[in-house]
């Protein structure tokens, strides 16, 4: 370990594991306890190890952190080396600070990486790309349908340049075209009624309106009955979102097969996506 600069002969930093720092306290004389308490108050998420049980009792008077005697968590091996029982340490931490316990299922961003844990597995790290964001959004909303375009817009807010200009036009077109098509259907009903009534004047006026709307739709729409902008931009985005989700699951599959299998079975990737697990999982997100 490394001695703490302010108390080099008293407190040593042994290292860090799962976000928890481990310290070794060399002695616990009455004159040392105040210094130890002041030093370790700067490290609230830490565990303090010391040599004997009686030292533990003294440290617990001045420290809120878990204090553990080395003799309760170490074993002397035949070759003279000392093995540390990390499971025993974890149990001490779980009892003293249950909120520190590592959740069995985790999918969240830490710094510039995403950490994935499934059913108490070891941590697997993913690069900070759009794919994990999409998966996390679905896990956070089990049973809720989400459109790929809406997901793309939300994720893209952290980098506005990623939202194509065509998408904005496409969403506007989609609303406009929907209104026009409703109006066209209404006019066709009115045309049928005018013909049944034998009202040639209303019939001709309605035909003129229908022709204008058909011309507008023909100019606005591209192949397949979709607007050019919506077809080119939105369809591409939907495909990309689906591909990124599948790519993220494939990446997870390299180290966590059970997690990948669960995600494949539970995440449905169409233009509307949703996460629908057979068994509820409490993800740490």
């Amino acid at each position: 370990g490394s001695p703490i600069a302010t108390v080099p002969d008293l407190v040593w930093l042994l290292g860090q594991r799962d976000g928890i720092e481990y310290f070794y306290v060399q002695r616990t004389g009455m004159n040392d306890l105040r210094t130890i308490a002041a030093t370790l108050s700067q490290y609230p998420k830490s565990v303090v190890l010391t040599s004997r049980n009686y030292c533990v009792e003294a440290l617990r008077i001045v420290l809120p952190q878990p204090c553990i005697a080395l003799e309760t968590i170490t074993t002397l091996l035949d070759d003279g080396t000392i093995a540390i029982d990390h499971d025993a340490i974890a149990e001490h931490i779980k009892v003293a600070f249950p909120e520190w316990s590592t959740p069995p299922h985790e999918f969240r961003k830490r710094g510039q990486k995403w950490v994935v844990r499934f059913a108490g597995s070891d941590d697997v790290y993913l690069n900070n790309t759009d794919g994990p964001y999409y998966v996390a959004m679905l896990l956070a909303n089990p049973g809720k349908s989400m459109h790929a375009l809406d997901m793309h817009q939300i994720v893209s807010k952290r980098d506005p340049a990623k939202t194509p200009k065509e998408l904005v036009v496409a969403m506007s077109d989609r609303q406009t075209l929907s209104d026009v098509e409703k109006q066209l259907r209404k006019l066709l009903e009115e045309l049928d009624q005018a013909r049944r009534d034998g009202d040639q004047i209303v019939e001709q006026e309605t035909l003129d309106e229908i022709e204008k709307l058909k011309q507008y739709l023909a100019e606005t729409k591209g192949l397949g009955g979709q607007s050019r902008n919506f077809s080119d931009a939105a369809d591409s985005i939907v495909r990309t979102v689906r591909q990124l989700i599948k790519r993220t699951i494939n990446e997870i599959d390299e180290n966590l097969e059970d997690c990948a299998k669960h995600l494949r079975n539970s995440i449905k990737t169409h233009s509307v996506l949703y996460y629908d697990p057979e068994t509820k999982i409490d993800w740490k997100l």
Side-chain angles (χ1 to χ4, degrees):
S2 304
I4 302 300
T6 52
V7 280
D9 297 325
L10 190 59
V11 181
W12 292 67
L13 173 62
L14 301 178
Q16 187 183 80
R17 182 185 175 93
D18 295 330
I20 299 174
E21 291 174 294
Y22 289 82
F23 292 92
Y24 174 71
V25 172
Q26 189 163 323
R27 62 179 188 273
T28 56
M30 291 302 296
N31 294 331
D32 302 320
L33 290 177
R34 182 177 297 177
T35 303
I36 293 170
T39 301
L40 295 182
S41 65
Q42 305 172 53
Y43 306 93
K45 193 170 184 180
S46 61
V47 172
V48 180
L49 306 177
T50 189
S51 56
R52 295 286 185 271
N53 277 319
Y54 71 84
C55 297
V56 169
E57 297 305 320
L59 289 170
R60 284 176 178 168
I61 296 173
V62 296
L63 294 176
Q65 295 98 322
C67 301
I68 305 171
L70 282 173
E71 61 191 32
T72 65
I73 59 165
T74 57
T75 303
L76 181 63
L77 302 179
D78 293 338
D79 61 1
T81 59
I82 295 177
I84 295 178
D85 187 346
H86 290 287
D87 290 337
I89 295 177
E91 191 60 32
H92 278 282
I93 295 171
K94 185 177 180 180
V95 172
F97 288 91
E99 68 273 17
W100 290 8
S101 299
T102 301
H105 300 91
E106 184 173 358
F107 198 110
R108 60 173 169 166
K109 188 171 179 288
R110 285 192 200 165
Q112 295 303 310
K113 293 283 186 178
W114 285 80
V115 62
V116 182
R117 189 183 311 107
F118 188 77
S121 67
D122 291 335
D123 292 352
V124 170
Y125 294 92
L126 306 176
N127 290 327
N128 185 24
T129 61
D130 287 353
Y133 275 95
Y134 294 134
V135 173
M137 288 171 64
L138 292 171
L139 299 184
N141 297 276
K144 180 180 178 180
S145 298
M146 303 182 71
H147 199 286
L149 292 178
D150 296 329
M151 295 176 68
H152 172 78
Q153 278 199 307
I154 293 171
V155 171
S156 297
K157 283 182 179 179
R158 74 189 198 283
D159 184 3
K162 284 195 173 184
T163 302
K165 184 178 180 181
E166 294 88 342
L167 178 60
V168 179
V169 177
M171 295 185 69
S172 175
D173 281 350
R174 183 168 54 174
Q175 182 61 43
T176 301
L177 292 177
S178 176
D179 293 340
V180 171
E181 288 168 345
K182 287 180 182 178
Q183 187 178 353
L184 181 58
R185 287 194 295 271
K186 183 179 179 181
L187 287 172
L188 289 171
E189 292 174 0
E190 292 177 1
L191 177 63
D192 287 341
Q193 186 63 45
R195 285 173 174 170
R196 284 195 297 269
D197 296 341
D199 191 336
Q200 295 182 352
I201 295 176
V202 173
E203 178 182 349
Q204 187 57 51
E205 290 176 349
T206 305
L207 282 171
D208 291 343
E209 288 296 320
I210 289 174
E211 187 60 33
K212 289 178 182 178
L213 291 180
K214 284 184 175 180
Q215 184 176 354
Y216 171 78
L217 290 174
E219 292 173 352
T220 308
K221 288 188 174 184
L223 296 175
Q226 292 183 322
S227 79
R228 293 188 183 92
N229 287 332
F230 187 72
S231 177
D232 294 344
D235 285 357
S236 174
I237 288 171
V238 169
R239 287 194 300 271
T240 298
V241 170
R242 290 161 56 186
Q243 290 169 359
L244 288 173
I245 290 174
K246 290 178 179 178
R247 186 180 303 167
T248 298
I249 295 175
N250 289 340
E251 188 176 351
I252 293 171
D253 197 16
E254 295 176 5
N255 296 286
L256 292 178
E257 293 183 8
D258 289 345
C259 181
K261 182 179 179 180
H262 168 77
L263 295 177
R264 288 195 183 102
N265 292 337
S266 304
I267 293 178
K268 311 305 177 185
T269 55
H270 306 290
S271 58
V272 173
L273 303 98
Y274 59 94
Y275 170 62
D276 186 23
E278 292 183 1
T279 303
K280 182 180 177 181
I281 289 182
D282 185 15
W283 289 97
K284 181 72 173 179
L285 300 165

